[in-house]
Amino acid sequence: MGSQMTTDEATVKGKKGRAVRLTQKAVMDLAPDPARRIRVWDAGVPGLGVVVHPSGKKSYFVDYRTKTDKTQRRQTLGSAASMTLDDARPAARKLMGEVADRKDPMAARRVSEKRVALSDFWKIYRRDFTEVHKKPTSLETDRIMFEKHVEPVLGRHDVRAIERGDVQRLHASMHERPIAANRTFALLSHMMTMAVDWKYRTAIEGNPCKGVRRYDEADRQRDRYLSPDELSRLWAALGTLEREPRFVRQPAIEAIRLLIFTGCRRGEILNLRWEHVDLDGACLNLPDSKSGRKKVVLNRQALKVLNDIKRKREGWVFPGEVEGQPVQEIKKAWAAACKLAEIEGLRVHDLRHSFATIGVGVKASLPMLGKLLGHKPGSKMTARYSHVDDSPWRVVSEAIGDEMDSIISGAKVVTMNPEP
């Protein structure tokens, strides 16, 4: 980039050819010329200017002359859509300071510049961050979010060319799924933070996600749990499905039953191995749950589910169809059970909500419920219980199990449509 004006450029100056004192409003009000680029210099900082392209895009730049060979250079600072005049001025002063120290910022930038498409940067990010710092389930969640939402829109963009407007449009395109939009935005934002740290974006370019407003989730969180009548119908439906093995596999039914009586996460149960099960001690010793190592106390009802399984098989508690693998998914069994029980809008994860809700009903304290559900201590009140033996939580777990048992004991037999 040279310093000479071309025929498709126009320069704007004040009286007697001097630069003008720019303001943020003045920059925003600059109108494009469809025939040529327009450059306006700032009187406040020597060399600093803003260019308006025929398309309407605006960028800040700095003109400087090297101290060694007196070469005239023009360094772009960033888009006016993602940085303000107040951001551009200190960045320009810093650059001019480097020039005064006989450095050539533009030459140094060319040496360290890394051009990479976002799709390729995702592979780097996954290898060097996600696979190192996240659990496999979180890694898979990130992969799905990137491939489903981010890659189709921004995958081909140069990492350095992504601007705040690009991020805003992606976020807005998911407005009907605000929680998913926020999770996707959080992933992209962290990727851009690492892009700056790893020199795929300059510090001046920064994180284009900064300043993008997330959706309010306070009134959008799902608060769904089983009513006593629904729990009774669901249990009856599971019994009916068990007697009709042609519809769904037995391990999936048993996994749902254990989820009901433990309040565990789906992945914790589906990936359960017999070496993690202590039937004599009435507990599960999970080596790697979402919150780290976790002990799950088992009430009588959960123990019965496991004892019935133990008499049938060894290996994975819930073996899958592929030899040597656990059950991968229980969607089919869950959908069949809900349909049979005439229950709508219920997720497998809502079984945790139901477990906690019944816990509240039997007067369990929040710290006790947090312990049972495997939440990380969220307060000093919760943390103070972390060293105590599990007997109080076992009492609560038994009370929850007994309450569920009293509900489902009156479950009526549900008949199925004989058609597969």
Side-chain angles (χ1 to χ4, degrees), residues 324-341:
Q325 295 292 321
V327 168
Q328 298 299 311
E329 194 49 74
I330 55 176
K331 287 182 179 179
K332 183 178 179 180
W334 180 252
C338 287
K339 182 178 180 179
L340 197 58

Side-chain angles (χ1 to χ4, degrees), residues 15 22 42 63 65 75 91 99 103 119 125 133 184 189 234 239 244 261 331 339 351:
K15 294 179 181 180
L22 288 176
D42 179 32
D63 284 345
R65 191 178 297 276
Q75 171 72 63
V99 173
K103 298 177 182 178
S119 291
Y125 174 83
H133 299 288
T184 301
S189 181
L234 178 64
E244 297 284 349
F261 284 121
K331 287 182 179 179
K339 182 178 180 179
L351 294 177

Side-chain angles (χ1 to χ4, degrees), residues 181-252:
N182 285 351
R183 301 299 177 272
T184 301
F185 170 79
L187 170 63
L188 180 59
S189 181
H190 191 263
M191 289 178 65
M192 292 296 96
T193 294
M194 301 311 296
V196 175
D197 287 351
W198 296 340
K199 310 302 181 187
Y200 289 91
R201 287 177 68 93
T202 68
I204 293 174
E205 291 164 340
N207 185 342
C209 298
K210 184 178 180 181
V212 176
R213 184 176 179 178
R214 302 189 188 201
Y215 294 114
D216 182 11
E217 299 181 19
D219 60 346
R220 300 176 186 266
Q221 296 288 353
R222 293 188 50 141
D223 188 17
R224 179 73 163 95
Y225 51 86
L226 284 163
S227 68
D229 183 56
E230 286 177 326
L231 175 57
S232 178
R233 299 203 312 266
L234 178 64
W235 190 263
L238 290 172
T240 302
L241 289 172
E242 188 174 36
R243 293 186 293 274
E244 297 284 349
R246 60 189 175 130
F247 287 95
V248 294
R249 297 182 67 249
Q250 180 73 12

